[in-house]
């Protein structure tokens, strides 16, 4: 009999068939307690779990005593209780690299659209306001040769630095846990402490994972240190930013504009003050959302689960140490 796994995300047929060649697959809509209760026996017997954007915590793991590997269709894994997985020797696989270039494109789109007010002026054209040659009230600010501060110089940070430096002649400042010699060699990026980055950057881009250390890393104090002409971009995770402090900084003109792909609460509540600000471009967490990349992420997650359940964790494993226990 094939081992049993649970799938909590819809997959294209060919990827579903790839899984079914190895496992008996039960599809569920989500991992909520009522769903788990409804399929209690399947959860109790499953050795694998594949999906995205749901909390995988101690309460769920208690219902899955045979679980050996989880595979998320994402690079970020802040919704997993990694300590609880480690304590139970359960592998966690994720999808770095396949989405890097696409997410960097999205960040660049946020930089360009906020600086050049693309969404705002396009809406004005659609509203019939373009009646004569435009004046300064339609103008934006330049992107090329401005200074970009990247907080989190990882895979996506590097791909962003490449676009900005090689494509737009932009000098790069960066803050990370340690200096990144490759970023310095390839993109002449300059390592600096966070305060210096905030004071000197025209664009401040966050592309950080959400951890205990990065939660609310950006708040009132950080926005106060930025230039009043600066544009703030967040494409990492919403809770890295104190959103209320961001709203206040935007309303008070402490910073010029914001481009946001992620929020403290997703979907963003329709009554969020962010949606009333013309200088905010708010996207529905589309960093990796192209047909090609979402397919490649799903394929990677499928292969990751097959590998993990065969004990192969040379790549894409968050906690390979559990195999050595
Ligand atoms: N908006 C979206 O759709 C997407 C968002 N993401 C988010 O972007 C994050 C980064 O992805 P990758 O670049 O692939 O990850 P990565 O692991 O390659 O890079 C993260 C970087 O942040 C740095 N870092 C961690 N804590 C830090 C701190 N306290 N201060 C300064 N630097 C710190 C790390 O050293 C690392 O260089 C993911 O964890 C995910 O949360 C990723 C993909 C899509
Ligand atoms: O992969 C991630 O972490 C995302 O946020 C969506 O691609």
């Amino acid at each position: 009999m094939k081992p049993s796994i649970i799938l909590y995300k819809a997959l294209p047929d060919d990827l579903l068939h790839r899984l079914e060649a190895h496992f008996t697959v039960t599809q569920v809509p989500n991992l909520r307690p009522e769903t788990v209760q409804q399929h209690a026996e399947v959860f109790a017997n499953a050795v694998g779990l594949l999906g995205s954007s749901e909390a995988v915590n101690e309460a769920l793991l208690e219902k899955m005593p045979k679980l050996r590997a989880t595979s998320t269709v994402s690079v970020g894994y802040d919704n997993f209780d990694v300590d609880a997985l480690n304590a139970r020797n359960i592998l966690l696989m994720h999808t770095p690299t396949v989405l890097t270039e696409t997410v960097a494109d999205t960040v660049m789109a946020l930089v360009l659209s906020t600086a050049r007010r693309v969404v705002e002026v396009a809406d004005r054209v659609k509203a019939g306001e373009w009646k004569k040659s435009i004046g300064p009230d339609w103008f934006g600010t330049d992107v090329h040769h401005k200074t970009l501060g990247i907080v989190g110089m990882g895979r996506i940070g590097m791909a962003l630095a490449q676009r900005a430096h090689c494509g737009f002649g932009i000098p790069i400042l960066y803050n990370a846990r340690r200096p990144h010699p490759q970023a310095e060699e390839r993109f002449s990026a300059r390592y600096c402490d966070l305060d210096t980055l905030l004071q000197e950057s025209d664009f401040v881009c966050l592309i950080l994972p959400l951890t205990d250390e990065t939660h609310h890393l950006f708040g009132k104090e950080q926005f106060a240190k930025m230039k009043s002409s600066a544009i703030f971009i967040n494409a990492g995770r919403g809770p890295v930013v104190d959103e209320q402090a961001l709203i206040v900084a935007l309303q008070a003109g402490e910073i010029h504009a914001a481009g946001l792909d992620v929020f403290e609460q997703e979907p963003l509540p329709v009554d969020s003050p962010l949606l009333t600000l013309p200088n905010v471009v708010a996207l529905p967490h589309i960093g990796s959302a192209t047909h090609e990349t979402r397919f490649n992420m799903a394929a990677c997650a499928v292969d990751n689960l097959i590998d993990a359940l065969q004990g192969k964790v040379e790549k894409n494993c968050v906690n390979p140490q559990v195999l050595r226990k």
Side-chain angles (χ1 to χ4, degrees):
M1 215 168 74
K2 289 181 200 165
S4 166
I5 67 155
I6 287 176
L7 178 64
Y8 58 100
K9 183 181 180 68
L11 289 182
D13 281 348
D14 45 350
L15 296 182
L16 181 58
H17 295 151
R18 202 187 291 180
L19 275 181
E20 285 170 340
H22 295 264
F23 312 115
T24 301
V25 180
T26 302
Q27 297 196 54
V28 296
N30 54 54
L31 298 178
R32 291 191 205 124
E34 50 282 18
T35 308
V36 178
Q37 168 107 37
Q38 209 184 334
H39 301 270
E41 206 182 320
V42 191
F43 274 83
N45 286 308
V47 295
L49 187 63
L50 190 153
S52 71
S53 314
E54 296 268 334
V56 174
N57 52 26
E58 185 62 43
L60 175 70
L61 298 180
E62 271 172 19
K63 309 280 184 199
M64 305 192 72
K66 297 195 180 154
L67 191 64
R68 287 171 38 221
T70 58
S71 179
T72 179
V73 191
S74 63
V75 63
Y77 52 85
D78 45 280
N79 49 328
F80 284 77
D81 182 340
V82 180
D83 289 340
L85 293 175
N86 290 344
R88 290 168 181 267
N89 291 341
I90 299 167
L91 291 166
L92 170 56
M93 311 296 286
H94 69 148
T95 63
T97 319
V98 285
L99 45 55
T100 298
E101 300 294 329
T102 299
V103 182
D105 287 350
T106 307
V107 182
M108 216 50 226
L110 281 172
V111 167
L112 289 163
S113 56
T114 46
R116 300 299 304 272
R117 300 168 62 195
V118 170
V119 179
E120 188 190 346
V121 298
D123 280 348
R124 288 178 69 180
V125 173
K126 283 190 180 161
E129 288 181 43
W130 186 24
K131 296 204 168 102
K132 57 181 171 64
S133 186
I134 62 157
D137 62 320
W138 295 67
F139 295 175
T141 57
D142 276 336
V143 171
H144 64 87
H145 300 97
K146 292 288 178 67
T147 297
L148 170 66
I150 300 178
V151 186
M153 189 57 98
R155 290 171 289 256
I156 299 168
M158 284 289 283
L160 173 63
Q162 181 184 31
R163 281 156 178 71
H165 179 71
C166 306
F168 292 80
I170 287 177
I172 311 284
L173 306 178
Y174 74 101
N175 177 260
R177 286 181 297 194
R178 60 192 75 84
H180 198 311
Q182 254 206 326
E184 300 186 9
E185 268 163 42
R186 291 177 58 196
F187 314 125
S188 308
R190 177 159 69 86
Y191 180 85
C192 49
D193 61 45
L194 190 56
D195 283 358
T196 308
L197 182 147
L198 296 175
Q199 284 154 11
E200 294 187 13
S201 298
D202 298 304
F203 297 92
V204 173
C205 282
L206 301 197
I207 187 67
L208 283 169
L210 174 60
T211 62
D212 290 345
E213 200 189 330
T214 62
H215 183 263
H216 280 198
L217 184 70
F218 267 62
K220 188 173 183 306
E221 221 183 292
Q222 286 65 39
F223 294 120
K225 286 179 182 153
M226 287 168 59
K227 297 180 185 180
S228 57
S229 57
I231 295 181
F232 176 73
I233 309 286
N234 186 13
R237 283 292 182 266
V240 173
V241 176
D242 175 346
E243 206 163 277
Q244 195 47 44
L246 171 62
I247 291 165
V248 172
L250 285 162
Q251 285 169 335
E254 269 179 9
I255 61 172
H256 178 62
L260 307 167
D261 188 42
V262 289
F263 302 88
E264 286 208 84
Q265 190 188 328
E266 295 179 8
L268 181 63
V270 288
D271 61 353
S272 167
L274 288 170
L275 298 178
T276 65
L277 299 171
N279 51 347
V280 169
V281 174
L283 300 179
H285 201 143
I286 58 157
S288 63
T290 63
H291 291 292
E292 301 92 326
T293 292
R294 283 292 169 88
F295 180 87
N296 291 337
M297 289 165 68
C300 177
V302 164
D303 292 339
N304 284 343
L305 188 63
I306 296 167
D307 283 350
L309 288 171
Q310 292 174 349
K312 292 188 215 149
V313 294
E314 291 86 38
K315 59 182 171 55
N316 302 342
C317 185
V318 173
N319 57 351
Q321 73 278 8
V322 307
L323 269 193
R324 292 192 287 272
K325 277 191 189 167

